[in-house]
Amino acid sequence: MQDFPKGYLIIIGGAEDKTGESVILRRASEMLSGPDWLTVLTTATEQPQAAGRKYREVFTGLGVKNIRVLDISNREQAEDPENGTAIAKSKCVFFTGGDQLRITSILGGTRVNAELKNLYHGGGIVMGTSAGASAMTSTMVVQGNDNEPARKCTLKMAPGLGLLGGVMVDQHFDQRGRFGRLLCGIAENPDVLGVGIDEDTAIKLYPDQHFEVIGSNAVTILDGKTIQSSNVSELNQNELLMITGVTVHTLPTGYGFELKNRKVLRLNDGKQ
């Protein structure tokens, strides 16, 4: 699609505050007006009732008036016209955590996925935490080694929902030691920007394709366009990765990033 979407993405690194100030989740209530619907989509989890109940309770406490929980757990349900209509009538869709491959394998290519893209491109809001964060991009991290040095051929990737191109998101980033695995992803895809989001931290992507950092921790950006050399394409699988020239940014609240120009932004009080 040539034009940038008119909507917003709020991509959360997981374990967001739900009982205190709820700085990240509160963004939903701040962006919704009285008649707007927020839909909690529980596709990622195998405990949809518990997850749906929890987020309904949280968003109600934050002042959201109209909340529906949509449990789509198979592709037949993802093609159901009623579920497609529910997405189309929403102003905001929130993906819970769980397994990102459940999201893409169930929703990919379906009516619900098409309506989700229409919602975002038309001015709606799509939020996702943990697995729901990873699934938003075109290239999705599925599995890799935590708390280990970067090694070749240890990262598993798959196509995501395609709401955000040119970016690869990893979540629970610092807390689970995922720098090495995101580095492998950038070595294999130097044109794709790696964005590692810590727990209780999020990025809010605006229609002009800049994002701001929200929450209590940080966002790490790995820019592979400046890579000078790596051994990622050579033989000897599982050997340690050699890579030079990667550009790294670490950004807390108060900073942002412009995707088009790959430029760090200093924002006033963390808000734009």
Side-chain angles (χ1 to χ4, degrees):
M1 187 165 293
Q2 301 300 316
D3 297 329
F4 288 130
K6 298 177 181 177
Y8 298 80
L9 298 180
I10 300 179
I11 307 176
I12 309 168
E16 69 281 357
D17 174 27
K18 303 178 187 67
T19 58
E21 295 185 8
S22 302
V23 170
I24 297 170
L25 297 180
R26 190 177 297 278
R27 289 298 181 100
S29 62
E30 293 173 351
M31 298 172 71
L32 298 175
S33 59
D36 290 335
W37 278 91
L38 183 151
T39 297
V40 176
L41 201 54
T42 60
T43 302
T45 178
E46 294 184 341
Q47 288 82 40
Q49 290 79 19
R53 185 166 54 249
K54 179 62 177 178
Y55 280 104
R56 180 190 290 276
E57 179 182 303
V58 172
F59 283 120
T60 297
L62 294 173
V64 180
K65 302 298 182 184
N66 298 315
I67 304 169
R68 68 166 63 85
V69 176
L70 205 57
D71 176 22
I72 298 176
S73 57
N74 57 59
R75 289 184 63 80
E76 182 179 0
Q77 292 172 340
E79 292 286 9
D80 189 325
E82 289 189 7
N83 288 332
T85 299
I87 298 296
K89 290 183 175 180
S90 301
K91 177 67 174 181
C92 177
V93 172
F94 179 86
F95 281 92
T96 69
D99 178 354
Q100 52 263 47
L101 268 180
R102 278 184 57 85
I103 296 175
T104 56
S105 63
I106 291 172
L107 300 186
T110 66
R111 181 189 298 263
V112 163
N113 193 21
E115 291 294 353
L116 189 70
K117 290 182 178 180
N118 289 338
L119 169 72
Y120 175 45
H121 282 270
I125 307 157
V126 182
M127 303 177 68
T129 185
S130 191
S134 290
M136 289 196 195
T137 56
S138 296
T139 303
M140 178 179 73
V141 175
V142 175
Q143 191 175 30
N145 294 334
D146 294 352
N147 294 304
E148 288 190 17
R151 292 183 182 274
K152 293 162 50 176
C153 304
T154 56
L155 184 68
K156 182 179 179 182
M157 292 179 285
L161 294 177
L163 299 178
L164 177 59
V167 174
M168 181 188 306
V169 168
D170 210 349
Q171 17 81 9
H172 302 281
F173 191 68
D174 184 64
Q175 290 74 18
R176 298 187 184 177
R178 290 179 168 174
F179 187 94
R181 79 178 201 175
L182 188 58
L183 193 61
C184 287
I186 298 310
E188 295 177 17
N189 301 270
D191 191 44
V192 175
L193 197 71
V195 178
I197 307 177
D198 290 349
E199 294 180 354
D200 192 38
T201 308
I203 62 172
K204 178 181 177 181
L205 181 68
Y206 288 75
D208 66 359
Q209 299 296 284
H210 91 273
F211 67 71
E212 65 168 307
V213 178
I214 309 166
S216 63
N217 289 303
V219 171
T220 301
I221 298 170
L222 303 183
D223 188 347
K225 277 195 172 182
T226 57
I227 290 174
Q228 296 166 350
S229 63
S230 80
N231 66 350
V232 73
S233 62
E234 298 176 7
L235 299 177
N236 303 319
Q237 295 185 8
N238 206 42
E239 74 176 352
L240 287 171
L241 178 70
M242 185 287 295
I243 189 167
T244 65
V246 180
T247 300
V248 180
H249 309 287
T250 301
L251 306 178
T253 297
Y255 288 85
F257 196 80
E258 194 175 276
L259 293 181
K260 289 182 291 183
N261 299 322
R262 300 198 174 202
K263 178 183 175 183
V264 173
L265 303 173
R266 179 69 174 95
L267 306 176
N268 293 326
D269 301 321
K271 293 187 178 181
Q272 180 83 3

